[in-house]
Amino acid sequence: MIILLPGILAMAAIVLASNILVQFLFGSWLTWGAFTYPLAFLVTDLVNHAHGPKAARTVVLIGFVVGLLCSLVGSQIVGEAGPLVTLRIALASGVAFLVAQLLDVSIFHRLRAGSWWRAPLVSTLVGASVDTALFFSLAFSSAWLWLEPSNDVAWANEVLPMLGLGPLAPLWVSLAAADWMVKLSLALLALVPFRLLAQRLRVQVG
């Protein structure tokens, strides 16, 4: 476990920072958390590269627990519109994180024997896409209203031009699209630090 400490601390820091920064808007469609959360995929991939999928899953599960604790704290803080973290937000966040990160671990492990960039790029692109789809649909779509009937998400289902320019769609779809584009962009940029850091790590598959 000690050998995983850097990965555990990095994952915990990213999850904590993202839970704080998601409270602050960046433009009309994003929050600052959108720029920190994708780094979780970089951490998972580096741990997977250095120590194998079992170790990567351990780091993911610890990140999941940190996320649950953040949601618990957030649910106790009441703002003008109610608790900072509702049941739907907490559920969506936890499910999206766990499913997407474990999917990333599995895909990375299957592709690790190929070109150095293929495993981190493909696993992150797939994982990030699943993460976005799960989180925004579970948290805001009217189709999942039964998860928490008392939580009014009508604002997120207001029909508007997508990203202010495209066809009409619920607001949450625009939010998801903007988040997804950031994740894809960062997935490409993350190849640089992955390459540099991976070269310093000893591969220990097990």
Side-chain angles (χ1 to χ4, degrees):
M1 184 65 74
I2 294 178
I3 199 172
L4 298 180
L5 191 58
I8 290 172
L9 293 177
M11 180 65 80
I14 290 167
V15 171
L16 178 60
S18 298
N19 274 272
I20 294 173
L21 293 174
V22 76
Q23 308 297 328
F24 302 96
L25 292 175
F26 179 85
S28 300
W29 313 106
L30 296 165
T31 69
W32 282 101
F35 298 95
T36 55
Y37 175 75
L39 295 176
F41 291 98
L42 174 61
V43 173
T44 300
D45 289 347
L46 284 170
V47 173
N48 202 342
H49 169 79
H51 308 296
K54 183 177 180 180
R57 292 188 190 101
T58 297
V59 171
V60 166
L61 290 176
I62 292 175
F64 175 72
V65 171
V66 172
L68 287 181
L69 293 175
C70 289
S71 294
L72 180 61
V73 172
S75 68
Q76 303 304 308
I77 301 175
V78 180
E80 295 181 1
L84 293 182
V85 180
T86 64
L87 174 62
R88 281 188 68 173
I89 293 291
L91 181 63
S93 178
V95 170
F97 178 87
L98 198 58
V99 172
Q101 291 292 328
L102 291 179
L103 183 61
D104 177 278
V105 171
S106 178
I107 294 174
F108 185 100
H109 185 59
R110 289 178 178 273
L111 299 179
R112 67 185 307 140
S115 301
W116 71 266
W117 54 267
R118 188 172 64 167
L121 181 60
V122 175
S123 63
T124 298
L125 289 179
V126 174
S129 298
V130 169
D131 181 275
T132 297
L134 283 175
F135 175 75
F136 283 93
S137 59
L138 287 175
F140 302 119
S141 172
S142 59
W144 296 94
L145 185 61
W146 57 271
L147 288 173
E148 191 180 17
S150 62
N151 181 17
D152 183 12
V153 293
W155 63 271
N157 289 274
E158 181 182 0
V159 177
L160 299 167
M162 190 169 176
L163 294 175
L165 300 170
L168 294 178
L171 172 60
W172 71 266
V173 175
S174 290
L175 300 177
D179 181 82
W180 182 66
M181 287 188 287
V182 169
K183 284 190 175 86
L184 298 193
S185 299
L186 290 180
L188 292 171
L189 292 176
L191 289 176
V192 175
F194 176 86
R195 180 61 168 172
L196 294 175
L197 292 171
Q199 290 177 333
R200 296 175 177 271
L201 298 173
R202 177 185 176 187
V203 178
Q204 297 176 354
V205 181

